[in-house]
Amino acid sequence: MRDVAVIGVGLTKFGERWNLGLKELMAEAGLAALEDASISSHDVEMLYGGTMASGRFIGQEHTAALMADQLGFGNIPAVRIENACASGGSALRQGYIAVASGIHDVVVVGGVEKMTDVTSGEASTALGGAGDQEWELFQGITFPGLYALMARRHMFEYGTTEEQMASVSVKNHENACRNEFAQFRKRVSIDDVMGSKMVSDPLKLLDCSPISDGAAAVVLAPLEKAKKYNDTPIKIVASAQASDTLRLADRESLTELKATKIAGQNAYRQAGVTADDIDVVEVHDCFTIAELLAMEDLGFYGKGKAGKAVQEGETALNGRISVNTSGGLKGCGHPVGATGVKQAAEIVWQLRGDAKDRQVNGAEIGMTHNVGGSGATAVVHIYKRAD
Amino acid sequence: MWVEAEPPQWSIYTRGQTDMERSSSSLWRKIRSRYNLVGNACENCNTPYFPQRIVCRKCGRKSRMVEKIYSGNGEVYSITKIRTPPDTFRDEAPYYIGIVKLDDGPKVEGHIIENGTEPKIGTRVRIRFRRMYVDGDEGLIYYHYKFEPV
Ligand SMILES: [Zn+2]
């Protein structure tokens, strides 16, 4: 196994990009990553592309070869990875494995989703496939519904409040204001969140992440060769992934995501660090309750303690631990296939010291956490500066 | 200020089921389970399942799976009220969805019928056979188990 480094990252702005199609989004993010790594298309040996539901959204499958074609990668092998909302993080892990194994040197990992070309009903159907189609979807159980069931049980077992969940949304919007790539560069107050339309009790509109267009890309290389391309390569010191039941009712507990816990524990072991060592983390806040679950399941807080910590500002920018400096899924937007790759880009910027207005002071170790569906997939990576 | 952002905010998470053919085949294939809570259990380790499984998660190898009909009595384990439904449930919203811990079986998701008592965690429920929704195009009526507070 070889050490693997990220030598380049690139993003498109997230949001409703009505003038850009899937190809243009891929090309914009991919080109930015190649430029960041100071390489050309001809240096790339393999591509992994994370896309969740392009077939349902725009009728286009086979997106990895398409991405390779659009970026001028020529005839290199390209593989699409679909793991619901964790497609991007899962693609990153495959890219990591390809470089670590010694099979390929320069690998590009892309993630893309074009979601706003269809009506909201069609988007719903496309994304519904992330859960158990036969038992959850069929009975009219929506995605906010599944996370609401987790939230309600968390409130029951630990006394978590709606205001505590709302404070996640407030924090992530605040961070998004400082991110030029974010969909919502607007502040919201606790009252705004609490007063927003009830979607599925206790989750309200502003507890939910949006529908978005966007793409992200990172370039990976063996650490020993990384300096050739980049002065501040960021080493991936852990890559872990776990699965769980697709159906929520099949799980023993509704107040934790077991896949997150297992992936997190494996990642800490690989990196030889603990939660206390992490300076900055991007977690999968598809709903506000999901960020609280992640903070607990990744070991940053004891069970039932995350709500109060967020409310008291411990996870704000340059707080005890900076969480979702990009704005998270809530503030930055959530083009599902791109999200896991975007998280990696944000952590790379943070560790290089390139995160501008949202820079975490002295950030040395970072983490990303990407979830598919209601928790049937979780992917965790840990990163360190390597210069 | 949220007007421009509002519709997309929630829409992606509302799971629609517009492909009628697919939903009806799924209904008929599992019709006994959907009407009567028919699950199964592993004869080797006695773990009860709903819906039926072919492979026992505990044993992780081939074992004899025997059919098991649950009483349908249980307790609400978690609950929510869905206010932004998929298209198929447009006429039913808002409706309660719960996860029920069965007295003689595993946890099961389902609709919780409103009958005057507000269902919450811990509410005792029993199974009922009820209309789930009517398909707008064909007028097909879909039936399913639901839970009713007792
Ligand atoms: Zn068994």
Side-chain angles (χ1 to χ4, degrees), chain A residues 8-256:
Chain A
V9 299
L11 289 188
T12 67
K13 184 173 164 38
F14 284 8
E16 188 175 354
R17 305 294 308 273
W18 63 270
N19 57 337
L20 298 183
L22 189 81
K23 291 176 187 165
E24 290 81 14
L25 289 165
M26 287 169 168
E28 190 179 312
L31 198 58
L34 295 182
E35 281 196 348
D36 189 43
S38 311
I39 61 169
S40 89
S41 297
H42 304 297
D43 298 315
V44 179
E45 295 173 24
M46 165 105 209
L47 171 92
Y48 287 94
T51 310
M52 179 191 165
S54 55
R56 297 301 292 264
F57 285 125
I58 55 168
Q60 180 68 62
E61 308 291 14
H62 215 163
T63 50
L66 181 64
M67 195 184 296
D69 169 39
Q70 293 299 306
L71 280 160
F73 292 171
N75 304 102
I76 63 159
V79 173
R80 169 174 165 177
I81 305 290
E82 187 274 305
N83 250 353
C85 325
S87 298
S90 303
L92 176 61
R93 181 167 151 75
Q94 293 307 307
Y96 167 87
I97 291 169
V99 176
S101 70
I103 290 179
H104 293 294
D105 276 352
V106 178
V107 169
V108 167
V109 177
V112 65
E113 213 74 57
K114 177 70 192 172
M115 301 168 76
T116 67
D117 274 0
V118 298
T119 65
S120 57
E122 288 167 314
S124 309
T125 309
L127 289 152
D132 189 313
Q133 196 274 340
E134 265 190 345
W135 292 97
E136 294 175 339
L137 227 164
F138 186 80
Q139 294 191 66
I141 309 180
T142 62
F143 232 102
L146 291 171
Y147 276 90
L149 289 164
M150 295 189 232
R152 191 55 87 194
R153 189 70 201 180
H154 202 275
M155 293 167 79
F156 176 80
E157 288 183 23
Y158 302 110
T160 300
T161 66
E162 292 180 44
E163 287 80 3
Q164 289 172 345
M165 289 188 262
S167 62
V168 170
S169 181
V170 172
K171 168 185 70 73
N172 290 351
H173 277 269
E174 177 66 39
N175 289 346
C177 290
R178 297 162 181 264
N179 182 0
E180 66 203 276
F181 296 100
Q183 183 165 1
F184 297 126
R185 304 187 69 184
K186 295 169 174 176
R187 287 187 176 78
V188 299
S189 67
I190 295 282
D191 288 343
D192 290 336
V193 184
M194 294 296 289
S196 63
K197 184 183 155 194
M198 190 63 87
V199 173
S200 188
D201 311 43
L203 299 180
K204 301 157 203 80
L205 192 66
L206 292 180
D207 285 302
C208 310
S209 59
I211 191 171
S212 322
D213 301 331
V218 301
V219 186
L220 306 178
L223 183 63
E224 71 219 27
K225 297 179 185 168
K227 279 274 183 151
K228 197 172 91 185
Y229 304 106
N230 197 304
D231 294 336
T232 48
I234 303 298
K235 184 180 169 188
I236 298 180
V237 292
S239 174
Q241 181 172 339
S243 310
D244 202 350
T245 65
L246 255 74
R247 189 171 156 262
L248 188 62
D250 268 331
R251 300 187 198 150
E252 214 165 292
S253 170
L254 295 194
T255 54
E256 64 173 35

